[in-house]
Amino acid sequence: MSKPVVAIVGRPNVGKSTLFNALAGERISIVQDTPGVTRDRIYAEVSWLDHNFTMIDTGGIEPDSNDIILSQMREQAQIAIDTADVIVFITDVQQGLVDSDAKVADMLRRSQKPVVLVVNKVDSVQKYMMDVYEFYNLGIGDPHPISASSRLGIGDMLDAVIKYFPKHTGEEEEDEEEEEVVVSEEEVVVEVVDEEEDECVAEELVEVFVSNFVDVFELTLVLDEDVVDVEVAVDEVESAVEAALL
């Protein structure tokens, strides 16, 4: 099974690349205050609670801009949205809810993909929590407050992301192991049955052999030993054994 894909999207300069670098564990995306620095899609492998997935960083989405570069960034973001299994929609609590956020939310709704709404730059919950509630107006789910630069709230955000992942592949592996065990047990049962059948055949052969040998021996007691040929007695026993094998 292929790994899930998670795309980070949002308007420019809300901290997408800062979050991406924090999750990737290294500085992959360039982080500057200048909007439009990240133009192409950037990929990284991320792991959280035994879940491995691919994360995509995108350029900022300016829904109404006719600028060539911003239009290309919007196209790249759309490709990431189409590719993703889950979308992390990141906003900025310090800039507040703006019209561009609502337009990006409409864009994500049309994708019909699971969306985790993230409100970034919440360095103090006490200071900004009332502002976080404003983002409920986007109508795209519960806002998850984080601070990407301080790495606050990221764990709760990732918990929300992996809830949309397919069933863990580890359970499928356990099912395969159980099937192998069942097959092995059946093979053992067959082997035991075969061994028991072989033992029964062997016991029958011994009984036939002993019975015929006793008959010949008793015959030698009745008749004169000089009259009974030993080779004849052996031939009788061999014939009895061969008949039992057939």
Side-chain angles (χ1 to χ4, degrees):
M1 182 180 291
S2 59
K3 288 185 289 188
V5 177
V6 178
I8 302 176
V9 302
R11 58 187 175 80
N13 202 30
V14 292
K16 296 183 300 299
S17 295
T18 302
L19 176 61
F20 178 85
N21 289 336
L23 295 174
E26 54 183 318
R27 193 171 184 269
I28 299 175
S29 291
I30 300 173
V31 179
Q32 290 184 9
D33 290 334
T34 305
V37 170
T38 304
R39 298 180 182 179
D40 297 323
R41 304 186 309 279
I42 303 174
Y43 296 79
E45 300 302 316
V46 179
S47 178
W48 178 253
L49 298 179
D50 295 331
H51 291 272
N52 299 316
F53 58 95
T54 300
M55 180 154 283
I56 309 176
D57 185 21
T58 64
I61 300 175
E62 285 286 7
D64 298 326
S65 175
N66 294 323
D67 180 83
I68 295 177
I69 294 178
L70 293 177
S71 296
Q72 291 175 345
M73 290 166 56
R74 186 167 60 245
E75 291 175 2
Q76 292 292 321
Q78 184 62 59
I79 293 172
I81 292 169
D82 294 339
T83 304
D85 298 295
V86 184
I87 299 167
V88 173
F89 175 27
I90 186 167
T91 58
D92 185 342
V93 73
Q94 296 181 12
Q95 294 180 13
L97 182 62
V98 299
D99 185 56
S100 294
D101 290 327
K103 292 180 178 179
V104 174
D106 289 338
M107 179 180 176
L108 297 180
R109 264 190 292 268
R110 289 192 296 270
S111 73
Q112 297 184 341
K113 300 289 184 72
V115 177
V116 176
L117 174 60
V118 174
V119 182
N120 191 27
K121 303 182 183 179
V122 183
D123 301 318
S124 171
V125 174
Q126 292 180 341
K127 181 179 179 181
Y128 291 110
M129 203 59 204
M130 294 303 296
D131 296 324
V132 170
Y133 294 146
E134 179 186 12
F135 289 86
Y136 274 106
N137 293 320
L138 290 173
I140 204 165
D142 296 335
H144 297 271
I146 72 164
S147 172
S149 60
S150 303
R151 303 194 178 189
L152 300 175
I154 292 180
D156 291 338
M157 180 202 73
L158 289 174
D159 288 342
V161 169
I162 64 175
K163 286 180 181 179
Y164 293 108
F165 287 176
K167 188 178 181 181
H168 204 308
T169 54
E171 295 182 5
E172 296 178 0
E173 294 175 356
E174 290 178 1
D175 293 339
E176 292 177 358
E177 291 177 359
E178 289 178 0
E179 289 178 1
E180 292 178 358
V181 171
V182 171
V183 171
S184 300
E185 289 177 351
E186 290 176 352
E187 292 175 351
V188 170
V189 171
V190 171
E191 290 179 359
V192 171
V193 171
D194 291 340
E195 290 178 0
E196 291 177 351
E197 290 179 353
D198 292 341
E199 289 177 0
C200 291
V201 173
E203 289 176 358
E204 291 177 0
L205 290 175
V206 171
E207 289 177 0
V208 171
F209 180 85
V210 172
S211 176
N212 283 275
F213 182 79
V214 169
D215 291 342
V216 173
F217 183 73
E218 289 177 349
L219 183 62
T220 59
L221 295 178
V222 174
L223 302 177
D224 185 69
E225 292 183 359
D226 295 335
V227 177
V228 178
D229 191 345
V230 175
E231 292 182 359
V232 174
V234 172
D235 290 339
E236 290 289 341
V237 173
E238 289 179 351
S239 299
V241 172
E242 291 175 359
L245 291 174
L246 294 175

